[in-house]
Amino acid sequence: MTSLDHQVLGPAFAQTPYDHPFRVELRAWLAEHPVDPEPLDQDARFRHRRDWHRTMAGNGWVGLHWPVEHGGRGVDPLTQFMYYEEVALAATPEPVNTPGLILLGPTLMAHGSAELKARFLPGILSGDEMWCQGFSEPDSGSDLASLRTRAELVGDEWIVNGQKIWTTFAQYADYCFVLCRTEAGSERHRGLTLLICPVDQDGVTVRPIRQISGDNEFSEVFLDDARVPKDWVVGEVGQGWSAAMTLFQFERGDQGYTDHARMLVHLLDCEDALRVAEADGTLTVDRAADARRVQRDLWVRIQELRHLNYRGAVLAKAGQELGAVGSMTNLVWGELEKDLGSAFADASGARSLVLGRHDTHARLASRAASIYSGTSEIQRNIIAERLLGLPK
Amino acid sequence: MITEPLTTADELEIRDVVVDFTRTTFTSERVRAAALTPRGYDEVAWKQMVDLGWTGLGIAEDVGGAGLGAIVQCLVHRELGARLAPTPFLGSAGFGAAALDVLVDDDEAAHGLLAAVVDGTVQCALALGHGRGWPGHESPSITAQPVDDGWTVTGSAALVLDAARADVVLVVAALEEGGWRLFQVAASATTPTPVPLLTVDVTRTYADLLFDHTPATPIGASSVTSDRVSLLVDQIAVYLAAEMVGVAIACTNQTLDYLRTRHQFGKPLGSFQALKHRCADVAVAVTVAQELVFSAATLIEADDFTSLALAAPLALARAGEVMLHATQEAIQLHGGVGFTDEVDIGLYYKRALGDLELIASPVDAYARMDLVRTGKTS
Ligand SMILES: Cc1cc2nc3c(=O)[nH]c(=O)nc-3n(C[C@H](O)[C@H](O)[C@H](O)COP(=O)(O)OP(=O)(O)OC[C@H]3O[C@@H](n4cnc5c(N)ncnc54)[C@H](O)[C@@H]3O)c2cc1C
């Protein structure tokens, strides 16, 4: 007999069964901690996510895969996979502070000094300190290695000058990890350094940028003689590219961060909306049938993503590199997210043109999914060149 | 960029005038500023368009129009779409005027209203009482009731284009004995008075309309059949499809400009073959969609309504799909900046979302096309 789990998530995997003790334990905790639905307003939404992060962190439910010495539980990637499925099933708020939790934290563990780990990891985990990612620049997006922001060591401080852009949640962040050029005259991947820059200082100006969704989730960040303590370097001076590559591995590969379970739960909302719209005549019979076909296709595609994520978790557990599999996941995820956003809106027909609705917002916001963590085109280049070995 | 289906010297001359005016008038700044005004559109530009006679281009000469026909009408819709012009042109001079023309034979009230639409003294909106798409088997959403001293209409119409600021709502309402009739309702008489809906498309105004035994004045002496209402939908579908093509062409042109100038990896983005192919595919699709639209316009001019019944839903569906695809590609190919409100690409995408719901979604238009093809329309 199929259970609710099967209906929502799909077939079980051998190593992450639906009656796994970990799932049982987490479900029990989640059942005792109900959470309100997410508000639409951006600031309220951010607070809602941050508060939930803090609630979970206070109970030891954040960063489970982090080593015990850094405040995690040291769970294996398959447990992490189950974790993401469970928090999604409970319709909890989306993760917040991902630049810290998913990207910088793990990179610090790999490349950071003992002092930096001790100083920053606890705040990332607890959600007391928020982070943003300062990589992209106006002239350096897909071509990140062309970046021009520079830092110079003066006494015991780095003085940083330049401009970052598309910096997500910079307006809420306490720290920004900035990839910048520390070797005058260096080119491309050489002479770069990854610095931890406090946002709340005179040398840093954050100007939010309005998005097509009506939000201002990302910003321009102007660095004018911004100051960074000499030792707040992730990895070695001049080795920023290598630190950034480590970081991208986490961005492209964090098993399960890639959201398949959230998507499956979201698809239920789409199916509900479709039933309502069909019943009240908002959609014609033909359109409802088409929407149902699209939703079925989406379920299949999310299952594919789920299998990719599972494979990623299995590989990671065996200690193997994810390599270009991360790019596959990212590509599949980004394209899916957009189509899911559109399907959600389409399920309510013309009504999802009206502002102030979740489906209206979700469709617009989803257009960024094939851009923001490396565009779909760049992922395809990586797959073709690194995985398939086609000539550059 | 793509082929121009207009052929005669007159048409090309009118096009150049229209393009010239829309380019200089509907700049990005003005389009955005208009959205913030109380009326929600560019009143100065609208008045200029009326003075230039645009509201009468496609309307017969005997009621004060220029009698230039559907191709010129479509050309104006295309160019206004290309600039996302915030004016009530589509709702009033497009949909409203078409209803007065198609549903009413030689009637003084209709002529008077048409003349008023042409000279800009009246701005109207069209509420179709069969719901969206073409009239079918579903029960009507607006009906008419005879009362002692005239008529009332009852029902609702969702997201009616340009209705929030209209003086007159033209209502196509179902009669109890069957058939349809066109009514005129003072916008202020609807319950409640329409308020603009805030939608994704800030360059347009929409309103939900409710009629509750609202006094209505019939226009024209007699009722019309569902076929006649279908002809009206065919006609306005072609006008809308022309706008869609304009949206697709314009956002694609902006994207091509961007790909020529933006550099990454030391090269213009447009030199990457993957992107070239994407642009080539969009250009082919837009070219073909535009051909579908302008041949449908030719059928309107030729009074070949049998062919139009097929051509109109085909043009609407295909132009709609192509427009959506072109606007989505435009965002993607712009990268991060395409997701911002600082360039107009997002405005085109959001116009596309609105246009797709205005008459019939592509799926519904294809369903109509299939019904017509297989002779199952009545
Ligand atoms: C919502 C959102 C949030 C973001 N958050 C952050 C953040 O927090 N921190 C941060 O540092 N950055 C962030 N970014 C920036 C993101 O990483 C960049 O937008 C992305 O890398 C693309 O760069 P670009 O915008 O400069 O586009 P471009 O690189 O200019 O690309 C434009 C188009 O050209 C294509 N293209 C480029 N090169 C090639 C090629 N070689 N072959 C084929 N096609 C190519 C691209 O795929 C794209 O379609 C965010 C972006 C978005 C949209």
mmCIF file with all atom_site columns, all heavy atoms in Angstrom, chain A residues 138-139 141 143 210 212 284 287 353 355 370, chain B residues 198 200 262 264-265 332 339 341 350 357 364:
data_model
loop_
_atom_site.group_PDB
_atom_site.id
_atom_site.type_symbol
_atom_site.label_atom_id
_atom_site.label_alt_id
_atom_site.label_comp_id
_atom_site.label_asym_id
_atom_site.label_entity_id
_atom_site.label_seq_id
_atom_site.pdbx_PDB_ins_code
_atom_site.Cartn_x
_atom_site.Cartn_y
_atom_site.Cartn_z
_atom_site.occupancy
_atom_site.B_iso_or_equiv
_atom_site.pdbx_formal_charge
_atom_site.auth_seq_id
_atom_site.auth_comp_id
_atom_site.auth_asym_id
_atom_site.auth_atom_id
_atom_site.pdbx_PDB_model_num
ATOM 1   N N   . PRO A 1 138 ? 29.748  44.080 -11.869 1.00 0.00 ? 138 PRO A N   1
ATOM 2   C CA  . PRO A 1 138 ? 29.019  44.499 -13.069 1.00 0.00 ? 138 PRO A CA  1
ATOM 3   C C   . PRO A 1 138 ? 29.595  43.896 -14.358 1.00 0.00 ? 138 PRO A C   1
ATOM 4   O O   . PRO A 1 138 ? 28.844  43.468 -15.223 1.00 0.00 ? 138 PRO A O   1
ATOM 5   C CB  . PRO A 1 138 ? 29.157  46.018 -13.050 1.00 0.00 ? 138 PRO A CB  1
ATOM 6   C CG  . PRO A 1 138 ? 29.273  46.356 -11.598 1.00 0.00 ? 138 PRO A CG  1
ATOM 7   C CD  . PRO A 1 138 ? 30.038  45.212 -10.983 1.00 0.00 ? 138 PRO A CD  1
ATOM 8   N N   . ASP A 1 139 ? 30.906  43.837 -14.466 1.00 0.00 ? 139 ASP A N   1
ATOM 9   C CA  . ASP A 1 139 ? 31.500  43.299 -15.698 1.00 0.00 ? 139 ASP A CA  1
ATOM 10  C C   . ASP A 1 139 ? 31.971  41.860 -15.565 1.00 0.00 ? 139 ASP A C   1
ATOM 11  O O   . ASP A 1 139 ? 32.616  41.331 -16.460 1.00 0.00 ? 139 ASP A O   1
ATOM 12  C CB  . ASP A 1 139 ? 32.676  44.184 -16.147 1.00 0.00 ? 139 ASP A CB  1
ATOM 13  C CG  . ASP A 1 139 ? 32.188  45.553 -16.611 1.00 0.00 ? 139 ASP A CG  1
ATOM 14  O OD1 . ASP A 1 139 ? 31.071  45.604 -17.174 1.00 0.00 ? 139 ASP A OD1 1
ATOM 15  O OD2 . ASP A 1 139 ? 32.899  46.546 -16.383 1.00 0.00 ? 139 ASP A OD2 1
ATOM 16  N N   . GLY A 1 141 ? 30.325  38.392 -14.457 1.00 0.00 ? 141 GLY A N   1
ATOM 17  C CA  . GLY A 1 141 ? 29.242  37.518 -13.993 1.00 0.00 ? 141 GLY A CA  1
ATOM 18  C C   . GLY A 1 141 ? 29.623  36.082 -14.266 1.00 0.00 ? 141 GLY A C   1
ATOM 19  O O   . GLY A 1 141 ? 30.274  35.424 -13.455 1.00 0.00 ? 141 GLY A O   1
ATOM 20  N N   . ASP A 1 143 ? 31.805  35.248 -16.280 1.00 0.00 ? 143 ASP A N   1
ATOM 21  C CA  . ASP A 1 143 ? 33.271  35.295 -16.346 1.00 0.00 ? 143 ASP A CA  1
ATOM 22  C C   . ASP A 1 143 ? 33.805  35.887 -15.047 1.00 0.00 ? 143 ASP A C   1
ATOM 23  O O   . ASP A 1 143 ? 34.351  36.994 -15.023 1.00 0.00 ? 143 ASP A O   1
ATOM 24  C CB  . ASP A 1 143 ? 33.679  36.150 -17.551 1.00 0.00 ? 143 ASP A CB  1
ATOM 25  C CG  . ASP A 1 143 ? 35.188  36.186 -17.723 1.00 0.00 ? 143 ASP A CG  1
ATOM 26  O OD1 . ASP A 1 143 ? 35.887  35.376 -17.075 1.00 0.00 ? 143 ASP A OD1 1
ATOM 27  O OD2 . ASP A 1 143 ? 35.656  37.031 -18.505 1.00 0.00 ? 143 ASP A OD2 1
ATOM 28  N N   . ARG A 1 210 ? 15.760  46.673 -7.426  1.00 0.00 ? 210 ARG A N   1
ATOM 29  C CA  . ARG A 1 210 ? 14.416  46.129 -7.577  1.00 0.00 ? 210 ARG A CA  1
ATOM 30  C C   . ARG A 1 210 ? 14.401  45.035 -8.640  1.00 0.00 ? 210 ARG A C   1
ATOM 31  O O   . ARG A 1 210 ? 14.991  45.167 -9.705  1.00 0.00 ? 210 ARG A O   1
ATOM 32  C CB  . ARG A 1 210 ? 13.471  47.254 -7.978  1.00 0.00 ? 210 ARG A CB  1
ATOM 33  C CG  . ARG A 1 210 ? 12.032  46.960 -7.727  1.00 0.00 ? 210 ARG A CG  1
ATOM 34  C CD  . ARG A 1 210 ? 11.221  48.228 -8.031  1.00 0.00 ? 210 ARG A CD  1
ATOM 35  N NE  . ARG A 1 210 ? 9.924   47.855 -8.557  1.00 0.00 ? 210 ARG A NE  1
ATOM 36  C CZ  . ARG A 1 210 ? 8.897   47.541 -7.798  1.00 0.00 ? 210 ARG A CZ  1
ATOM 37  N NH1 . ARG A 1 210 ? 9.018   47.577 -6.484  1.00 0.00 ? 210 ARG A NH1 1
ATOM 38  N NH2 . ARG A 1 210 ? 7.742   47.205 -8.340  1.00 0.00 ? 210 ARG A NH2 1
ATOM 39  N N   . ILE A 1 212 ? 12.198  41.910 -10.948 1.00 0.00 ? 212 ILE A N   1
ATOM 40  C CA  . ILE A 1 212 ? 10.942  41.839 -11.700 1.00 0.00 ? 212 ILE A CA  1
ATOM 41  C C   . ILE A 1 212 ? 9.800   41.313 -10.829 1.00 0.00 ? 212 ILE A C   1
ATOM 42  O O   . ILE A 1 212 ? 8.641   41.554 -11.112 1.00 0.00 ? 212 ILE A O   1
ATOM 43  C CB  . ILE A 1 212 ? 11.063  40.976 -12.984 1.00 0.00 ? 212 ILE A CB  1
ATOM 44  C CG1 . ILE A 1 212 ? 11.376  39.520 -12.661 1.00 0.00 ? 212 ILE A CG1 1
ATOM 45  C CG2 . ILE A 1 212 ? 12.104  41.539 -13.923 1.00 0.00 ? 212 ILE A CG2 1
ATOM 46  C CD1 . ILE A 1 212 ? 11.311  38.621 -13.891 1.00 0.00 ? 212 ILE A CD1 1
ATOM 47  N N   . THR A 1 284 ? -10.853 26.388 -18.440 1.00 0.00 ? 284 THR A N   1
ATOM 48  C CA  . THR A 1 284 ? -11.666 25.539 -19.304 1.00 0.00 ? 284 THR A CA  1
ATOM 49  C C   . THR A 1 284 ? -11.216 24.087 -19.127 1.00 0.00 ? 284 THR A C   1
ATOM 50  O O   . THR A 1 284 ? -10.152 23.815 -18.560 1.00 0.00 ? 284 THR A O   1
ATOM 51  C CB  . THR A 1 284 ? -11.461 25.905 -20.777 1.00 0.00 ? 284 THR A CB  1
ATOM 52  O OG1 . THR A 1 284 ? -10.081 25.694 -21.091 1.00 0.00 ? 284 THR A OG1 1
ATOM 53  C CG2 . THR A 1 284 ? -11.844 27.355 -21.060 1.00 0.00 ? 284 THR A CG2 1
ATOM 54  N N   . ARG A 1 287 ? -7.903  23.565 -20.834 1.00 0.00 ? 287 ARG A N   1
ATOM 55  C CA  . ARG A 1 287 ? -6.771  24.151 -20.135 1.00 0.00 ? 287 ARG A CA  1
ATOM 56  C C   . ARG A 1 287 ? -6.441  23.374 -18.872 1.00 0.00 ? 287 ARG A C   1
ATOM 57  O O   . ARG A 1 287 ? -5.273  23.181 -18.531 1.00 0.00 ? 287 ARG A O   1
ATOM 58  C CB  . ARG A 1 287 ? -7.085  25.600 -19.794 1.00 0.00 ? 287 ARG A CB  1
ATOM 59  C CG  . ARG A 1 287 ? -5.839  26.404 -19.793 1.00 0.00 ? 287 ARG A CG  1
ATOM 60  C CD  . ARG A 1 287 ? -6.103  27.853 -19.798 1.00 0.00 ? 287 ARG A CD  1
ATOM 61  N NE  . ARG A 1 287 ? -4.924  28.491 -19.240 1.00 0.00 ? 287 ARG A NE  1
ATOM 62  C CZ  . ARG A 1 287 ? -4.889  29.718 -18.809 1.00 0.00 ? 287 ARG A CZ  1
ATOM 63  N NH1 . ARG A 1 287 ? -5.980  30.456 -18.870 1.00 0.00 ? 287 ARG A NH1 1
ATOM 64  N NH2 . ARG A 1 287 ? -3.791  30.215 -18.320 1.00 0.00 ? 287 ARG A NH2 1
ATOM 65  N N   . LEU A 1 353 ? -2.447  36.910 -12.346 1.00 0.00 ? 353 LEU A N   1
ATOM 66  C CA  . LEU A 1 353 ? -1.860  38.177 -12.806 1.00 0.00 ? 353 LEU A CA  1
ATOM 67  C C   . LEU A 1 353 ? -1.932  39.218 -11.696 1.00 0.00 ? 353 LEU A C   1
ATOM 68  O O   . LEU A 1 353 ? -1.241  40.234 -11.732 1.00 0.00 ? 353 LEU A O   1
ATOM 69  C CB  . LEU A 1 353 ? -2.647  38.726 -14.006 1.00 0.00 ? 353 LEU A CB  1
ATOM 70  C CG  . LEU A 1 353 ? -2.600  37.911 -15.285 1.00 0.00 ? 353 LEU A CG  1
ATOM 71  C CD1 . LEU A 1 353 ? -3.530  38.532 -16.314 1.00 0.00 ? 353 LEU A CD1 1
ATOM 72  C CD2 . LEU A 1 353 ? -1.178  37.845 -15.811 1.00 0.00 ? 353 LEU A CD2 1
ATOM 73  N N   . LEU A 1 355 ? -1.516  41.131 -8.289  1.00 0.00 ? 355 LEU A N   1
ATOM 74  C CA  . LEU A 1 355 ? -0.452  41.207 -7.282  1.00 0.00 ? 355 LEU A CA  1
ATOM 75  C C   . LEU A 1 355 ? -0.974  40.829 -5.906  1.00 0.00 ? 355 LEU A C   1
ATOM 76  O O   . LEU A 1 355 ? -2.172  40.901 -5.643  1.00 0.00 ? 355 LEU A O   1
ATOM 77  C CB  . LEU A 1 355 ? 0.131   42.623 -7.236  1.00 0.00 ? 355 LEU A CB  1
ATOM 78  C CG  . LEU A 1 355 ? 0.814   43.115 -8.515  1.00 0.00 ? 355 LEU A CG  1
ATOM 79  C CD1 . LEU A 1 355 ? 1.405   44.511 -8.293  1.00 0.00 ? 355 LEU A CD1 1
ATOM 80  C CD2 . LEU A 1 355 ? 1.906   42.147 -8.961  1.00 0.00 ? 355 LEU A CD2 1
ATOM 81  N N   . SER A 1 370 ? 17.504  29.930 -13.228 1.00 0.00 ? 370 SER A N   1
ATOM 82  C CA  . SER A 1 370 ? 18.498  29.447 -14.194 1.00 0.00 ? 370 SER A CA  1
ATOM 83  C C   . SER A 1 370 ? 19.611  30.469 -14.395 1.00 0.00 ? 370 SER A C   1
ATOM 84  O O   . SER A 1 370 ? 20.373  30.397 -15.350 1.00 0.00 ? 370 SER A O   1
ATOM 85  C CB  . SER A 1 370 ? 17.823  29.136 -15.524 1.00 0.00 ? 370 SER A CB  1
ATOM 86  O OG  . SER A 1 370 ? 17.075  30.258 -15.961 1.00 0.00 ? 370 SER A OG  1
ATOM 87  N N   . LEU B 2 198 ? -4.438  45.838 -9.325  1.00 0.00 ? 198 LEU B N   1
ATOM 88  C CA  . LEU B 2 198 ? -2.977  45.870 -9.439  1.00 0.00 ? 198 LEU B CA  1
ATOM 89  C C   . LEU B 2 198 ? -2.513  44.515 -9.965  1.00 0.00 ? 198 LEU B C   1
ATOM 90  O O   . LEU B 2 198 ? -2.678  43.491 -9.312  1.00 0.00 ? 198 LEU B O   1
ATOM 91  C CB  . LEU B 2 198 ? -2.345  46.145 -8.079  1.00 0.00 ? 198 LEU B CB  1
ATOM 92  C CG  . LEU B 2 198 ? -2.603  47.547 -7.529  1.00 0.00 ? 198 LEU B CG  1
ATOM 93  C CD1 . LEU B 2 198 ? -1.954  47.705 -6.164  1.00 0.00 ? 198 LEU B CD1 1
ATOM 94  C CD2 . LEU B 2 198 ? -2.082  48.608 -8.497  1.00 0.00 ? 198 LEU B CD2 1
ATOM 95  N N   . VAL B 2 200 ? 0.513   42.284 -12.528 1.00 0.00 ? 200 VAL B N   1
ATOM 96  C CA  . VAL B 2 200 ? 1.946   42.260 -12.845 1.00 0.00 ? 200 VAL B CA  1
ATOM 97  C C   . VAL B 2 200 ? 2.290   43.285 -13.915 1.00 0.00 ? 200 VAL B C   1
ATOM 98  O O   . VAL B 2 200 ? 3.396   43.817 -13.949 1.00 0.00 ? 200 VAL B O   1
ATOM 99  C CB  . VAL B 2 200 ? 2.409   40.860 -13.324 1.00 0.00 ? 200 VAL B CB  1
ATOM 100 C CG1 . VAL B 2 200 ? 2.294   39.853 -12.199 1.00 0.00 ? 200 VAL B CG1 1
ATOM 101 C CG2 . VAL B 2 200 ? 1.639   40.384 -14.548 1.00 0.00 ? 200 VAL B CG2 1
ATOM 102 N N   . ARG B 2 262 ? 27.531  43.489 -24.637 1.00 0.00 ? 262 ARG B N   1
ATOM 103 C CA  . ARG B 2 262 ? 28.026  42.928 -23.374 1.00 0.00 ? 262 ARG B CA  1
ATOM 104 C C   . ARG B 2 262 ? 29.131  41.905 -23.648 1.00 0.00 ? 262 ARG B C   1
ATOM 105 O O   . ARG B 2 262 ? 28.942  41.001 -24.459 1.00 0.00 ? 262 ARG B O   1
ATOM 106 C CB  . ARG B 2 262 ? 26.865  42.253 -22.645 1.00 0.00 ? 262 ARG B CB  1
ATOM 107 C CG  . ARG B 2 262 ? 27.261  41.321 -21.519 1.00 0.00 ? 262 ARG B CG  1
ATOM 108 C CD  . ARG B 2 262 ? 27.256  42.017 -20.208 1.00 0.00 ? 262 ARG B CD  1
ATOM 109 N NE  . ARG B 2 262 ? 27.505  41.112 -19.085 1.00 0.00 ? 262 ARG B NE  1
ATOM 110 C CZ  . ARG B 2 262 ? 27.928  41.548 -17.905 1.00 0.00 ? 262 ARG B CZ  1
ATOM 111 N NH1 . ARG B 2 262 ? 28.135  42.830 -17.712 1.00 0.00 ? 262 ARG B NH1 1
ATOM 112 N NH2 . ARG B 2 262 ? 28.116  40.706 -16.927 1.00 0.00 ? 262 ARG B NH2 1
ATOM 113 N N   . GLN B 2 264 ? 31.804  38.999 -22.053 1.00 0.00 ? 264 GLN B N   1
ATOM 114 C CA  . GLN B 2 264 ? 32.289  38.101 -21.006 1.00 0.00 ? 264 GLN B CA  1
ATOM 115 C C   . GLN B 2 264 ? 33.325  37.203 -21.670 1.00 0.00 ? 264 GLN B C   1
ATOM 116 O O   . GLN B 2 264 ? 33.218  36.919 -22.868 1.00 0.00 ? 264 GLN B O   1
ATOM 117 C CB  . GLN B 2 264 ? 31.146  37.251 -20.428 1.00 0.00 ? 264 GLN B CB  1
ATOM 118 C CG  . GLN B 2 264 ? 30.179  38.036 -19.535 1.00 0.00 ? 264 GLN B CG  1
ATOM 119 C CD  . GLN B 2 264 ? 30.770  38.438 -18.195 1.00 0.00 ? 264 GLN B CD  1
ATOM 120 O OE1 . GLN B 2 264 ? 30.763  37.715 -17.220 1.00 0.00 ? 264 GLN B OE1 1
ATOM 121 N NE2 . GLN B 2 264 ? 31.309  39.666 -18.147 1.00 0.00 ? 264 GLN B NE2 1
ATOM 122 N N   . PHE B 2 265 ? 34.299  36.771 -20.927 1.00 0.00 ? 265 PHE B N   1
ATOM 123 C CA  . PHE B 2 265 ? 35.382  35.936 -21.457 1.00 0.00 ? 265 PHE B CA  1
ATOM 124 C C   . PHE B 2 265 ? 36.067  36.623 -22.648 1.00 0.00 ? 265 PHE B C   1
ATOM 125 O O   . PHE B 2 265 ? 36.478  35.969 -23.606 1.00 0.00 ? 265 PHE B O   1
ATOM 126 C CB  . PHE B 2 265 ? 34.860  34.552 -21.877 1.00 0.00 ? 265 PHE B CB  1
ATOM 127 C CG  . PHE B 2 265 ? 34.142  33.817 -20.771 1.00 0.00 ? 265 PHE B CG  1
ATOM 128 C CD1 . PHE B 2 265 ? 32.751  33.802 -20.700 1.00 0.00 ? 265 PHE B CD1 1
ATOM 129 C CD2 . PHE B 2 265 ? 34.868  33.161 -19.769 1.00 0.00 ? 265 PHE B CD2 1
ATOM 130 C CE1 . PHE B 2 265 ? 32.093  33.139 -19.682 1.00 0.00 ? 265 PHE B CE1 1
ATOM 131 C CE2 . PHE B 2 265 ? 34.206  32.485 -18.748 1.00 0.00 ? 265 PHE B CE2 1
ATOM 132 C CZ  . PHE B 2 265 ? 32.818  32.479 -18.696 1.00 0.00 ? 265 PHE B CZ  1
ATOM 133 N N   . GLN B 2 332 ? 16.610  35.462 -19.725 1.00 0.00 ? 332 GLN B N   1
ATOM 134 C CA  . GLN B 2 332 ? 17.732  34.542 -19.529 1.00 0.00 ? 332 GLN B CA  1
ATOM 135 C C   . GLN B 2 332 ? 19.008  35.068 -20.196 1.00 0.00 ? 332 GLN B C   1
ATOM 136 O O   . GLN B 2 332 ? 20.077  35.028 -19.617 1.00 0.00 ? 332 GLN B O   1
ATOM 137 C CB  . GLN B 2 332 ? 17.367  33.158 -20.087 1.00 0.00 ? 332 GLN B CB  1
ATOM 138 C CG  . GLN B 2 332 ? 18.466  32.113 -19.933 1.00 0.00 ? 332 GLN B CG  1
ATOM 139 C CD  . GLN B 2 332 ? 18.744  31.754 -18.477 1.00 0.00 ? 332 GLN B CD  1
ATOM 140 O OE1 . GLN B 2 332 ? 17.902  31.950 -17.608 1.00 0.00 ? 332 GLN B OE1 1
ATOM 141 N NE2 . GLN B 2 332 ? 19.937  31.260 -18.207 1.00 0.00 ? 332 GLN B NE2 1
ATOM 142 N N   . PHE B 2 339 ? 16.792  40.117 -14.733 1.00 0.00 ? 339 PHE B N   1
ATOM 143 C CA  . PHE B 2 339 ? 15.877  39.836 -13.628 1.00 0.00 ? 339 PHE B CA  1
ATOM 144 C C   . PHE B 2 339 ? 15.556  41.102 -12.836 1.00 0.00 ? 339 PHE B C   1
ATOM 145 O O   . PHE B 2 339 ? 14.790  41.075 -11.898 1.00 0.00 ? 339 PHE B O   1
ATOM 146 C CB  . PHE B 2 339 ? 16.513  38.778 -12.707 1.00 0.00 ? 339 PHE B CB  1
ATOM 147 C CG  . PHE B 2 339 ? 15.593  38.268 -11.632 1.00 0.00 ? 339 PHE B CG  1
ATOM 148 C CD1 . PHE B 2 339 ? 14.456  37.540 -11.955 1.00 0.00 ? 339 PHE B CD1 1
ATOM 149 C CD2 . PHE B 2 339 ? 15.860  38.513 -10.290 1.00 0.00 ? 339 PHE B CD2 1
ATOM 150 C CE1 . PHE B 2 339 ? 13.605  37.073 -10.972 1.00 0.00 ? 339 PHE B CE1 1
ATOM 151 C CE2 . PHE B 2 339 ? 15.013  38.051 -9.290  1.00 0.00 ? 339 PHE B CE2 1
ATOM 152 C CZ  . PHE B 2 339 ? 13.876  37.325 -9.639  1.00 0.00 ? 339 PHE B CZ  1
ATOM 153 N N   . ASP B 2 341 ? 14.322  45.234 -12.411 1.00 0.00 ? 341 ASP B N   1
ATOM 154 C CA  . ASP B 2 341 ? 13.351  46.186 -12.934 1.00 0.00 ? 341 ASP B CA  1
ATOM 155 C C   . ASP B 2 341 ? 14.089  47.386 -13.541 1.00 0.00 ? 341 ASP B C   1
ATOM 156 O O   . ASP B 2 341 ? 13.479  48.369 -13.899 1.00 0.00 ? 341 ASP B O   1
ATOM 157 C CB  . ASP B 2 341 ? 12.444  46.630 -11.773 1.00 0.00 ? 341 ASP B CB  1
ATOM 158 C CG  . ASP B 2 341 ? 11.165  47.277 -12.286 1.00 0.00 ? 341 ASP B CG  1
ATOM 159 O OD1 . ASP B 2 341 ? 10.661  46.834 -13.332 1.00 0.00 ? 341 ASP B OD1 1
ATOM 160 O OD2 . ASP B 2 341 ? 10.698  48.239 -11.652 1.00 0.00 ? 341 ASP B OD2 1
ATOM 161 N N   . LYS B 2 350 ? 6.070   40.673 -18.400 1.00 0.00 ? 350 LYS B N   1
ATOM 162 C CA  . LYS B 2 350 ? 4.826   40.823 -17.647 1.00 0.00 ? 350 LYS B CA  1
ATOM 163 C C   . LYS B 2 350 ? 3.676   41.250 -18.559 1.00 0.00 ? 350 LYS B C   1
ATOM 164 O O   . LYS B 2 350 ? 2.528   40.852 -18.349 1.00 0.00 ? 350 LYS B O   1
ATOM 165 C CB  . LYS B 2 350 ? 5.052   41.767 -16.469 1.00 0.00 ? 350 LYS B CB  1
ATOM 166 C CG  . LYS B 2 350 ? 5.975   41.090 -15.431 1.00 0.00 ? 350 LYS B CG  1
ATOM 167 C CD  . LYS B 2 350 ? 6.137   41.888 -14.172 1.00 0.00 ? 350 LYS B CD  1
ATOM 168 C CE  . LYS B 2 350 ? 7.370   42.725 -14.213 1.00 0.00 ? 350 LYS B CE  1
ATOM 169 N NZ  . LYS B 2 350 ? 7.686   43.288 -12.881 1.00 0.00 ? 350 LYS B NZ  1
ATOM 170 N N   . GLU B 2 357 ? -3.723  36.047 -21.222 1.00 0.00 ? 357 GLU B N   1
ATOM 171 C CA  . GLU B 2 357 ? -5.003  35.776 -20.554 1.00 0.00 ? 357 GLU B CA  1
ATOM 172 C C   . GLU B 2 357 ? -6.130  36.626 -21.105 1.00 0.00 ? 357 GLU B C   1
ATOM 173 O O   . GLU B 2 357 ? -7.284  36.441 -20.734 1.00 0.00 ? 357 GLU B O   1
ATOM 174 C CB  . GLU B 2 357 ? -4.879  36.041 -19.048 1.00 0.00 ? 357 GLU B CB  1
ATOM 175 C CG  . GLU B 2 357 ? -3.884  35.161 -18.325 1.00 0.00 ? 357 GLU B CG  1
ATOM 176 C CD  . GLU B 2 357 ? -4.345  33.707 -18.257 1.00 0.00 ? 357 GLU B CD  1
ATOM 177 O OE1 . GLU B 2 357 ? -5.516  33.429 -18.580 1.00 0.00 ? 357 GLU B OE1 1
ATOM 178 O OE2 . GLU B 2 357 ? -3.515  32.852 -17.887 1.00 0.00 ? 357 GLU B OE2 1
ATOM 179 N N   . ASP B 2 364 ? -6.517  27.186 -25.145 1.00 0.00 ? 364 ASP B N   1
ATOM 180 C CA  . ASP B 2 364 ? -7.926  27.394 -25.487 1.00 0.00 ? 364 ASP B CA  1
ATOM 181 C C   . ASP B 2 364 ? -8.092  27.817 -26.942 1.00 0.00 ? 364 ASP B C   1
ATOM 182 O O   . ASP B 2 364 ? -9.062  27.444 -27.597 1.00 0.00 ? 364 ASP B O   1
ATOM 183 C CB  . ASP B 2 364 ? -8.546  28.435 -24.550 1.00 0.00 ? 364 ASP B CB  1
ATOM 184 C CG  . ASP B 2 364 ? -8.752  27.875 -23.148 1.00 0.00 ? 364 ASP B CG  1
ATOM 185 O OD1 . ASP B 2 364 ? -8.905  26.642 -23.025 1.00 0.00 ? 364 ASP B OD1 1
ATOM 186 O OD2 . ASP B 2 364 ? -8.748  28.655 -22.183 1.00 0.00 ? 364 ASP B OD2 1
#
